[in-house]
PDB file of all heavy atoms in Angstrom:
ATOM      1  N   GLU F  34      -2.849 -24.813  20.932  1.00  0.00           N
ATOM      2  CA  GLU F  34      -3.332 -24.267  19.674  1.00  0.00           C
ATOM      3  C   GLU F  34      -2.218 -24.243  18.675  1.00  0.00           C
ATOM      4  O   GLU F  34      -1.107 -23.765  18.949  1.00  0.00           O
ATOM      5  CB  GLU F  34      -3.873 -22.829  19.868  1.00  0.00           C
ATOM      6  CG  GLU F  34      -3.990 -21.984  18.645  1.00  0.00           C
ATOM      7  CD  GLU F  34      -4.912 -22.591  17.587  1.00  0.00           C
ATOM      8  OE1 GLU F  34      -6.012 -23.058  17.927  1.00  0.00           O
ATOM      9  OE2 GLU F  34      -4.481 -22.574  16.399  1.00  0.00           O
ATOM     10  N   GLN F  35      -2.418 -24.833  17.500  1.00  0.00           N
ATOM     11  CA  GLN F  35      -1.335 -24.951  16.512  1.00  0.00           C
ATOM     12  C   GLN F  35      -0.867 -23.650  15.920  1.00  0.00           C
ATOM     13  O   GLN F  35       0.236 -23.532  15.420  1.00  0.00           O
ATOM     14  CB  GLN F  35      -1.727 -25.927  15.388  1.00  0.00           C
ATOM     15  CG  GLN F  35      -2.797 -25.433  14.475  1.00  0.00           C
ATOM     16  CD  GLN F  35      -3.049 -26.403  13.328  1.00  0.00           C
ATOM     17  OE1 GLN F  35      -2.343 -27.371  13.202  1.00  0.00           O
ATOM     18  NE2 GLN F  35      -4.003 -26.057  12.440  1.00  0.00           N
ATOM     19  N   GLY F  36      -1.730 -22.599  15.951  1.00  0.00           N
ATOM     20  CA  GLY F  36      -1.337 -21.297  15.441  1.00  0.00           C
ATOM     21  C   GLY F  36      -1.491 -20.283  16.532  1.00  0.00           C
ATOM     22  O   GLY F  36      -1.099 -20.473  17.680  1.00  0.00           O
ATOM     23  N   ASP F  37      -2.063 -19.123  16.139  1.00  0.00           N
ATOM     24  CA  ASP F  37      -2.378 -18.091  17.095  1.00  0.00           C
ATOM     25  C   ASP F  37      -3.816 -18.331  17.619  1.00  0.00           C
ATOM     26  O   ASP F  37      -4.625 -18.949  16.975  1.00  0.00           O
ATOM     27  CB  ASP F  37      -2.305 -16.719  16.434  1.00  0.00           C
ATOM     28  CG  ASP F  37      -2.650 -15.544  17.355  1.00  0.00           C
ATOM     29  OD1 ASP F  37      -2.373 -15.688  18.569  1.00  0.00           O
ATOM     30  OD2 ASP F  37      -3.217 -14.534  16.879  1.00  0.00           O
ATOM     31  N   LEU F  38      -4.094 -17.805  18.808  1.00  0.00           N
ATOM     32  CA  LEU F  38      -5.449 -17.831  19.297  1.00  0.00           C
ATOM     33  C   LEU F  38      -6.405 -17.164  18.304  1.00  0.00           C
ATOM     34  O   LEU F  38      -6.057 -16.112  17.701  1.00  0.00           O
ATOM     35  CB  LEU F  38      -5.555 -17.102  20.646  1.00  0.00           C
ATOM     36  CG  LEU F  38      -4.689 -17.658  21.783  1.00  0.00           C
ATOM     37  CD1 LEU F  38      -4.757 -16.704  23.015  1.00  0.00           C
ATOM     38  CD2 LEU F  38      -5.114 -19.058  22.190  1.00  0.00           C
ATOM     39  N   ALA F  39      -7.575 -17.759  18.085  1.00  0.00           N
ATOM     40  CA  ALA F  39      -8.585 -17.198  17.204  1.00  0.00           C
ATOM     41  C   ALA F  39      -8.056 -17.023  15.772  1.00  0.00           C
ATOM     42  O   ALA F  39      -8.491 -16.151  15.051  1.00  0.00           O
ATOM     43  CB  ALA F  39      -9.071 -15.849  17.727  1.00  0.00           C
ATOM     44  N   SER F  40      -7.139 -17.902  15.349  1.00  0.00           N
ATOM     45  CA  SER F  40      -6.543 -17.720  14.043  1.00  0.00           C
ATOM     46  C   SER F  40      -7.418 -18.247  12.887  1.00  0.00           C
ATOM     47  O   SER F  40      -7.102 -18.065  11.761  1.00  0.00           O
ATOM     48  CB  SER F  40      -5.157 -18.400  13.992  1.00  0.00           C
ATOM     49  OG  SER F  40      -5.281 -19.777  14.327  1.00  0.00           O
ATOM     50  N   ALA F  41      -8.525 -18.920  13.253  1.00  0.00           N
ATOM     51  CA  ALA F  41      -9.417 -19.452  12.209  1.00  0.00           C
ATOM     52  C   ALA F  41     -10.813 -18.880  12.344  1.00  0.00           C
ATOM     53  O   ALA F  41     -10.988 -17.674  12.267  1.00  0.00           O
ATOM     54  CB  ALA F  41      -9.409 -20.999  12.276  1.00  0.00           C
ATOM     55  N   THR F  42     -11.796 -19.741  12.619  1.00  0.00           N
ATOM     56  CA  THR F  42     -13.198 -19.302  12.582  1.00  0.00           C
ATOM     57  C   THR F  42     -13.475 -18.158  13.602  1.00  0.00           C
ATOM     58  O   THR F  42     -14.263 -17.276  13.288  1.00  0.00           O
ATOM     59  CB  THR F  42     -14.096 -20.495  12.930  1.00  0.00           C
ATOM     60  OG1 THR F  42     -13.781 -21.564  12.003  1.00  0.00           O
ATOM     61  CG2 THR F  42     -15.545 -20.143  12.831  1.00  0.00           C
ATOM     62  N   SER F  43     -12.872 -18.200  14.734  1.00  0.00           N
ATOM     63  CA  SER F  43     -13.200 -17.265  15.809  1.00  0.00           C
ATOM     64  C   SER F  43     -12.761 -15.837  15.531  1.00  0.00           C
ATOM     65  O   SER F  43     -13.134 -14.917  16.272  1.00  0.00           O
ATOM     66  CB  SER F  43     -12.633 -17.690  17.188  1.00  0.00           C
ATOM     67  OG  SER F  43     -13.241 -18.916  17.549  1.00  0.00           O
ATOM     68  N   SER F  44     -11.948 -15.599  14.488  1.00  0.00           N
ATOM     69  CA  SER F  44     -11.634 -14.220  14.097  1.00  0.00           C
ATOM     70  C   SER F  44     -12.292 -13.860  12.775  1.00  0.00           C
ATOM     71  O   SER F  44     -12.038 -12.779  12.236  1.00  0.00           O
ATOM     72  CB  SER F  44     -10.111 -14.056  13.942  1.00  0.00           C
ATOM     73  OG  SER F  44      -9.609 -14.955  12.960  1.00  0.00           O
ATOM     74  N   ALA F  45     -13.170 -14.732  12.280  1.00  0.00           N
ATOM     75  CA  ALA F  45     -13.752 -14.493  10.978  1.00  0.00           C
ATOM     76  C   ALA F  45     -15.262 -14.440  11.031  1.00  0.00           C
ATOM     77  O   ALA F  45     -15.973 -14.770  10.053  1.00  0.00           O
ATOM     78  CB  ALA F  45     -13.315 -15.600   9.975  1.00  0.00           C
ATOM     79  N   SER F  46     -15.801 -14.033  12.182  1.00  0.00           N
ATOM     80  CA  SER F  46     -17.256 -13.940  12.318  1.00  0.00           C
ATOM     81  C   SER F  46     -17.745 -12.577  11.807  1.00  0.00           C
ATOM     82  O   SER F  46     -16.998 -11.756  11.379  1.00  0.00           O
ATOM     83  CB  SER F  46     -17.639 -14.105  13.785  1.00  0.00           C
ATOM     84  OG  SER F  46     -17.395 -12.947  14.524  1.00  0.00           O
ATOM     85  N   THR F  47     -19.063 -12.375  11.930  1.00  0.00           N
ATOM     86  CA  THR F  47     -19.662 -11.078  11.605  1.00  0.00           C
ATOM     87  C   THR F  47     -19.569 -10.160  12.782  1.00  0.00           C
ATOM     88  O   THR F  47     -20.144  -9.026  12.746  1.00  0.00           O
ATOM     89  CB  THR F  47     -21.111 -11.285  11.113  1.00  0.00           C
ATOM     90  OG1 THR F  47     -21.155 -12.337  10.156  1.00  0.00           O
ATOM     91  CG2 THR F  47     -21.679 -10.037  10.381  1.00  0.00           C
ATOM     92  N   LYS F  48     -18.918 -10.522  13.867  1.00  0.00           N
ATOM     93  CA  LYS F  48     -18.624  -9.714  15.029  1.00  0.00           C
ATOM     94  C   LYS F  48     -19.928  -9.318  15.784  1.00  0.00           C
ATOM     95  O   LYS F  48     -20.053  -8.231  16.297  1.00  0.00           O
ATOM     96  CB  LYS F  48     -17.890  -8.404  14.670  1.00  0.00           C
ATOM     97  CG  LYS F  48     -16.903  -8.515  13.525  1.00  0.00           C
ATOM     98  CD  LYS F  48     -15.770  -9.450  13.821  1.00  0.00           C
ATOM     99  CE  LYS F  48     -14.762  -9.466  12.617  1.00  0.00           C
ATOM    100  NZ  LYS F  48     -13.794 -10.524  12.702  1.00  0.00           N
ATOM    101  N   LEU F  49     -20.829 -10.248  15.896  1.00  0.00           N
ATOM    102  CA  LEU F  49     -22.110  -9.943  16.566  1.00  0.00           C
ATOM    103  C   LEU F  49     -22.401 -10.912  17.705  1.00  0.00           C
ATOM    104  O   LEU F  49     -22.170 -12.120  17.591  1.00  0.00           O
ATOM    105  CB  LEU F  49     -23.260 -10.004  15.575  1.00  0.00           C
ATOM    106  CG  LEU F  49     -23.217  -9.050  14.377  1.00  0.00           C
ATOM    107  CD1 LEU F  49     -24.422  -9.314  13.470  1.00  0.00           C
ATOM    108  CD2 LEU F  49     -23.195  -7.577  14.841  1.00  0.00           C
ATOM    109  N   PHE F  50     -22.889 -10.358  18.836  1.00  0.00           N
ATOM    110  CA  PHE F  50     -23.636 -11.140  19.810  1.00  0.00           C
ATOM    111  C   PHE F  50     -25.108 -11.054  19.381  1.00  0.00           C
ATOM    112  O   PHE F  50     -25.725  -9.983  19.504  1.00  0.00           O
ATOM    113  CB  PHE F  50     -23.501 -10.536  21.176  1.00  0.00           C
ATOM    114  CG  PHE F  50     -22.286 -10.899  21.964  1.00  0.00           C
ATOM    115  CD1 PHE F  50     -21.799 -10.066  22.954  1.00  0.00           C
ATOM    116  CD2 PHE F  50     -21.591 -12.073  21.718  1.00  0.00           C
ATOM    117  CE1 PHE F  50     -20.660 -10.368  23.689  1.00  0.00           C
ATOM    118  CE2 PHE F  50     -20.450 -12.403  22.427  1.00  0.00           C
ATOM    119  CZ  PHE F  50     -19.991 -11.557  23.425  1.00  0.00           C
TER     120      PHE F  50
END
Side-chain angles (χ1 to χ4, degrees):
E34 161 58 45
Q35 68 174 358
D37 179 32
L38 300 173
S40 57
T42 305
S43 295
S44 59
S46 77
T47 313
K48 326 297 181 191
L49 300 178
F50 277 155

